[in-house]
Each structure stands twice: as C-alpha cells, then as structure tokens.
Amino acid sequence: MLNNKRLNGYLDGVYTLLAPLSHIGESHGPDSYLATQDIIGPDGMPVEVFVYSGNAIRGMLRDCGSKYFLDKLSSGSILQIPLQMFYFLFSGGSIGGEQSIDIDQARKIRETIPIASIFGGGVGNQILSGKLCVNDAWPIAKECAHFIPKEYWTDELISWRQMTTERSYTRTDDAKDERKREYIFDENIKAIEGGQMKLLDTTDENKKKKKEDAPIQMRYTVEVLQAGSRLYHRIDVRDLTEIEMGALVSAIVEWSKSPYIGGQARIGMGRAMVEYHWHPVNGETESFIEISDGLLLGDTARETKAKYDEYLGKYVEYLENHKESLVKMLEA
Amino acid sequence: MKLEPIKVTAKMMTGQVATTDGYLPLDGILAYVWVKENHPELLEGDAGKAAPIVVDHKLPIEKRGTGDDWYYACSFACYTPLKETRRYWHKRFDAQLAEEYVDFGKRRGKVNVKSAQYKNYRIPLNIMLIPEITWYLVADKAEIERMVNRITHIGKKPSQGLGLVKKWIVETIDGDLSWLRPIPDENGDDFVSIRPPYWYHGHMRKVRWPDDARLGARNLFITCQTRGISQA
C-alpha cells in the first residue's frame, strides 16, 4: 500500500488576520498581553517580538488531523474510541503510563495511522518521533525582516508594535439587573440595599458559599494583533510518505472548516486566511494550499490527499469486511 | 575522500536555541543524519531487541585518540550567546473534543489532568540567543556540506521550531581547530561522552576541556559559575 517515495522540504506561507488575534503571554489582573519572545533582530542584537507559538499551531493541526481521520472512518456518524487512544491521537499520548500497548503494537499504530506518524507521540514506554517541525509564526514586521522571504512582503514593513491594539470587554452581573432579578429562585435573597444584594443568611458557611457563587462584574482588557496583520509561518517536513503528506493536507483542510487561531474564537477573534507554498528539496516551489473564501489545493496537496483518502477508504472497507471496530483493532 | 581542516557555520534564523549544557557537538548531529540515511530502521525501532546501541557511523571525519578512547576530529559548538531567555510549552487534555470522541464504556467519564497519565503540563525551556554557531573539523568538505544541508534545526524541541537554521556555510581553513572539544585525559577534571551517541554512558571518559573563549559550553559554564548555578 505504501510506496517508498519520501517527501522532504518545507511549507511556508502567510496567515492573514481577518479579525483581531489574541495569543496571551502574561496577564496582570484583568488585563492580558500578547505573547512575546526575544529573537535576534536585523541588527544582530536581541529584540522582543510577538510570536504565535509553533506548538499551538502543531496542537491545532494535530486535533484537526485526528478529527478528520476519525470522521472519515465513521462515515458520517461519530466514532468513539477509548480514552487512552484519544489521548494518543489528540494530545500525543504519554510515556511511562499504562503499559497495555507494547512496542510492536505502537509500530503497528504508526504504520496504520499516518496522522500519528507525522505528529509523533508516546506509547507505553516508547516515543514515536514525529516528522514535522512546526515553527513559530512571526509577524511580517521590521523586527523579522532579515528572515522573512521578500515575496511575502507587501508594503514597507512596520514594527509589530504598530500592529497591536487593545480590546476591552465588560462582564455584567445580570443578578444585579432589576429586570432580570425576578427570574432568580433563591429564598436567601430578600432585599436590596443601595443597589447591592444583601444576604440575610448570616451563618459563616452560607456566607462563604454565597461569596464563592457570587458572579463578579468586571471590565477586562485583551491586547490583540489587529485584523489585517500578517504572520509568516513555516513547517519543515522530513521523510513523509505521500500518504503522510496527505494526512498533513487533511489536517489543514479540516482546519479550514473553522479557520481560527489563538484565543477568544467564541467572539470571533483569530479568524484568518492562509496560503502555504511547498518547497521540496531539489525541486521547484509550488502553491500548496490556499484558504480564503474557499479552499484551493495545489498539485502535490491534491494528489497526496487523494491518496490518503483512498487509503482511509480501504481502511474503512477492511474494518467493515472483518466486522471489527477500529477500537478493537487498536486495543488488540 | 580528502580529509582537510574545515569550518562549518550555521547561521540561525531567529537565534533561539534550546540547550542547557551548550555542547551541541556536530558529529553527534551528523551521526543522526548518517543513521537516517543508512539505517532508518534503527530510528523507527524496527530492529526490535536486536538493535545495536552503538553503530559504526562511518562519518567522513578523521578519527583521533587511541584504543577505545577514540573520538572524531570535530569541535563542540563555538558561539557567544547574546542572551538567555525562557519560554514555556504546554500540553493539555482537550476536554471539548473528548466529550465527542471518547468512549468511556462503563467507566466514569472523569479524567484526572492534575497527575498521572493525562496530566497537563507547562514545561520551561531554556533558550540561548545565538546568531551563529561554528564548528571546526578535519573532514571531507563535500560530504560534510551535503550532510549538514539535511539538518534544519539544532538543539531541543525542533518539533516546535526552536534552533531553526537559516543557512549553512562550509569552508576550508588553514589551521586545525578541531581540538576545541573535551579530549580524553586520565588526569582530566570532567567526565563527559566523547563520541556519538553522546547519550551513551559507555562513551563517557575523563576529559580535559581546552580553556578557550570560543567554546560555547565554556561560556555557559562560566555564566553559571558567576551566578552560582550548578550545571546539570
């Protein structure tokens, strides 16, 4: 089923933010600030710059790839798997835990689950090394000008600090809203004094409980990278089979269904469009994948994903023909 | 194969290299490349229990020393760190996806993420900011040039993009500086591994370090001494 062709090279491209991006580093009280790192700047000296963590992108792609894998196998319904297998697929597993999966079994899993092979993981007492180096994503800014390829520059570069802004939000305590208060069923709340609720129950235990349960009205601020900012990103791939490359494509395709990075996606932050180019070792650069209004796959991405889907198709057929579930096979 | 003194330089992309001891011996990295090219099954564990711990890497580098104290004529990393920083990486159990995809069977659907197998982690990483790293070898220039270009990252956590190399430069030099490394010496004052695989305890010997400011590990050691930190 697998051929010997191995793909080496790197994908690089740009995330263009269509909404502000929150990626928290430090926080002080209700205020949180963007994650920054020191890197060597264009003048050869250390400089602080916003960095979107490579590990965050890696985790995001691992989740999406695993989701695609399970959804494809279940053909529309939800395929549920044991906790240990879930942890291996979505979080990379752990070593030194339960030894119920032996090395032979781990090898079998690696061979049969390409998505686990490319991201790696820990099984039993063995580490399965991954095949991707998912680098940090850097703002296309002055501070990173010396290593971001010029083809990704647009206008004259500005400092990443000019790309940031602050967003403030209010969390309202609806229990203090007179119009909504009538919906509260709590006999302990009897009266309001000076607009504040008063707890008539004076026992210490109940006081403490009420204090813990009491919602807090607050105003908080999040430092964000502004919509329109662009991040350069690069993924190095090592010795991927075509099916494994297809698994990587599947992860990016799955991500495109909900194209958000960073935090606060619930309020629309982090929506982005993406383009990646494929730079094979000793080969010609080609467009790999483009996610904006729709999804556009380049030749390599389209072909390898087709092979991966075909592989998964045979996998499903195998499971159906043998009348056994994926779960049982993985637990064997 | 023509062995000659050469200098190998890695120009780093962002300069972030995750290392605590700062040794970064190039022959160790090249040994990995050699195994990957010649015996990839060893990296995958496919040889099972029959897998040898030590492989004759046949690196295109001159061998020095006598008997079982031999080592490659390859220096440890030479660099000057501009700054030491720290970053954290996280590993977490994804409860939201677990709701959808985990079959708890007859077990209680509760996962302990504070300890044991599914523990969430926040792991610190020491990062050195290093614009470029240099090694000195007596080796086959063409072959070394081919091999180093297969190396994309140096140090810990390449999977997260640390230690990304922007460009490799390999050039011949006049003098041999491959001695910028621990040399086996019965009267030495340190005990470290002298050849790949460097993690293997069987390769540890009493050694003498050259007192030379170009050695990155020495710079880190002096920094630690100055701060009163014991180096692991």
Side-chain angles (χ1 to χ4, degrees):
Chain A
M1 193 177 291
L2 300 172
N3 67 31
N4 290 324
K5 188 177 176 185
R6 291 288 184 272
L7 299 165
N8 283 284
Y10 67 92
L11 300 170
D12 78 348
V14 172
Y15 284 75
T16 304
L17 299 180
L18 301 173
L21 170 67
S22 166
H23 190 55
I24 294 174
E26 290 187 8
S27 56
H28 300 290
D31 302 332
S32 53
Y33 300 92
L34 285 168
T36 60
Q37 290 281 311
D38 286 324
I39 63 168
I40 302 288
D43 61 352
M45 296 307 290
V47 62
E48 187 183 26
V49 64
F50 165 76
V51 165
Y52 189 82
S53 159
N55 197 40
I57 298 175
R58 189 181 168 79
M60 177 182 86
L61 292 178
R62 184 197 285 274
D63 284 354
C64 290
S66 300
K67 189 175 186 312
Y68 183 92
F69 173 72
L70 292 178
D71 290 350
K72 199 80 179 172
L73 292 189
S74 64
S75 310
S77 59
I78 298 287
L79 177 65
Q80 291 196 312
I81 55 175
L83 178 59
Q84 194 176 351
M85 198 59 223
F86 170 84
Y87 194 58
F88 175 65
L89 278 177
F90 287 87
S91 301
S94 58
I95 53 170
E98 292 173 26
Q99 303 293 308
S100 59
I101 298 178
D102 62 23
I103 291 175
D104 285 337
Q105 187 65 10
R107 202 172 296 141
K108 193 174 167 189
I109 289 170
R110 184 173 181 119
E111 284 169 7
T112 50
I113 308 178
I115 195 73
S117 179
I118 62 173
F119 287 106
V123 184
N125 58 2
Q126 187 184 353
I127 292 175
L128 305 172
S129 58
K131 296 183 171 186
L132 302 180
C133 295
V134 185
N135 301 285
D136 292 330
W138 302 286
I140 301 181
K142 264 183 185 175
E143 291 84 352
C144 306
H146 55 306
F147 60 78
I148 292 178
K150 287 206 169 157
E151 58 262 34
Y152 294 120
W153 296 19
T154 46
D155 303 320
E156 193 176 327
L157 297 182
I158 58 172
S159 167
W160 73 272
R161 292 182 191 278
Q162 292 173 271
M163 300 177 183
T164 67
T165 187
E166 290 185 346
R167 286 289 185 95
S168 293
Y169 298 92
T170 305
R171 182 186 175 198
T172 309
D173 183 354
D174 287 329
K176 289 175 183 168
D177 187 332
E178 188 59 31
R179 289 167 301 179
K180 295 172 185 165
R181 211 181 131 267
E182 60 185 292
Y183 295 104
I184 300 173
F185 177 74
D186 192 338
E187 291 183 349
N188 290 322
I189 302 173
K190 302 290 185 188
I192 295 178
E193 281 184 4
Q196 297 294 316
M197 279 186 289
K198 184 180 177 185
L199 304 178
L200 296 182
D201 192 327
T202 53
T203 61
D204 287 347
E205 195 179 314
N206 279 338
K207 263 186 180 176
K208 190 180 173 188
K209 187 176 180 304
K210 287 296 166 193
K211 196 173 180 183
E212 283 173 359
D213 290 347
I216 301 166
Q217 188 152 290
M218 65 184 290
R219 183 171 170 80
Y220 62 97
T221 301
V222 187
E223 187 187 23
V224 295
L225 214 60
Q226 296 173 32
S229 303
R230 299 164 76 239
L231 302 172
Y232 172 74
H233 187 239
R234 167 172 161 161
I235 303 174
D236 289 79
V237 308
R238 295 180 296 196
D239 298 324
L240 292 193
T241 64
E242 288 181 299
I243 287 175
E244 286 169 342
M245 180 63 108
L248 175 59
V249 177
S250 78
I252 303 173
V253 167
E254 183 66 30
W255 176 80
S256 73
K257 293 174 186 170
S258 177
Y260 290 84
I261 57 173
Q264 307 282 7
R266 66 194 166 84
I267 50 172
M269 283 199 190
R271 192 159 63 86
M273 55 185 192
V274 171
E275 57 167 305
Y276 275 114
H277 292 91
W278 168 232
H279 302 262
V281 170
N282 302 326
E284 282 187 22
T285 299
E286 63 172 85
S287 175
F288 189 72
I289 198 163
E290 207 176 304
I291 299 163
S292 51
D293 291 337
L295 174 71
L296 205 62
L297 298 181
D299 291 344
T300 302
R302 191 175 54 251
E303 286 163 15
T304 55
K305 183 172 179 293
K307 285 184 179 171
Y308 181 56
D309 286 341
E310 186 191 353
Y311 172 78
L312 291 183
K314 286 178 183 171
Y315 212 81
V316 174
E317 201 177 300
Y318 171 84
L319 294 176
E320 283 170 356
N321 291 342
H322 290 74
K323 293 185 168 53
E324 61 180 348
S325 67
L326 168 70
V327 176
K328 282 182 181 169
M329 192 198 79
L330 294 172
E331 281 185 329
Chain B
M1 188 166 67
K2 183 188 171 191
L3 302 179
E4 58 187 332
I6 59 171
K7 176 181 166 185
V8 177
T9 305
K11 300 275 186 187
M12 307 306 292
M13 186 84 104
T14 63
Q16 295 173 299
V17 182
T19 177
T20 46
D21 59 27
Y23 294 172
L24 305 172
L26 186 63
D27 51 345
I29 306 171
L30 292 173
Y32 172 78
V33 174
W34 189 90
V35 171
K36 204 163 183 58
E37 289 180 345
N38 295 281
H39 291 286
E41 74 282 1
L42 297 179
L43 296 174
E44 298 300 324
D46 284 354
K49 289 176 183 172
I53 291 175
V54 180
V55 183
D56 181 7
H57 296 104
K58 295 186 175 60
L59 298 182
I61 308 173
E62 188 175 296
K63 287 181 178 177
R64 298 266 171 85
T66 53
D68 199 31
D69 284 351
W70 71 269
Y71 57 93
Y72 287 111
C74 176
S75 79
F76 276 27
C78 296
Y79 57 86
T80 306
L82 296 184
K83 191 172 181 181
E84 181 178 350
T85 64
R86 178 171 291 183
R87 69 187 277 177
Y88 296 84
W89 62 271
H90 305 90
K91 177 174 179 168
R92 66 177 178 85
F93 184 86
D94 197 321
Q96 196 181 345
L97 284 164
E99 279 178 27
E100 202 171 344
Y101 288 102
V102 176
D103 175 13
F104 285 100
K106 291 175 182 172
R107 292 169 59 190
R108 191 179 169 203
K110 190 173 180 181
V111 181
N112 179 8
V113 296
K114 291 187 175 174
S115 63
Q117 197 177 355
Y118 306 113
K119 181 177 164 62
N120 286 343
Y121 287 100
R122 175 175 164 81
I123 306 289
L125 269 178
N126 266 25
I127 310 285
M128 299 295 161
L129 278 187
I130 307 168
E132 64 176 46
I133 306 176
T134 304
W135 294 268
Y136 301 95
L137 301 82
V138 177
D140 181 341
K141 179 174 175 278
E143 185 60 4
I144 294 294
E145 194 159 20
R146 185 192 69 76
M147 291 176 83
V148 293
N149 276 295
R150 294 210 62 188
I151 302 165
T152 56
H153 296 69
I154 292 168
K156 290 181 75 176
K157 286 291 167 199
S159 62
Q160 296 177 21
L162 290 169
L164 180 56
V165 178
K166 185 180 181 187
K167 187 182 176 186
W168 287 97
I169 299 169
V170 181
E171 52 199 328
T172 51
I173 52 173
D174 289 336
D176 171 15
L177 291 169
S178 65
W179 49 267
L180 286 166
R181 53 164 296 134
I183 308 289
D185 185 341
E186 285 181 0
N187 301 314
D189 56 2
D190 201 0
F191 195 64
V192 298
S193 197
I194 57 167
R195 60 176 182 265
Y198 278 93
W199 50 263
Y200 179 50
H201 63 84
H203 288 168
M204 295 191 80
R205 303 284 187 279
K206 277 198 114 177
V207 297
R208 169 181 48 80
W209 285 85
D211 185 17
D212 193 295
R214 284 171 288 195
L215 267 174
R218 175 188 175 279
N219 292 332
L220 295 188
F221 181 66
I222 289 172
T223 308
C224 289
Q225 273 190 328
T226 317
R227 294 186 194 164
I229 305 167
S230 64
Q231 207 175 15

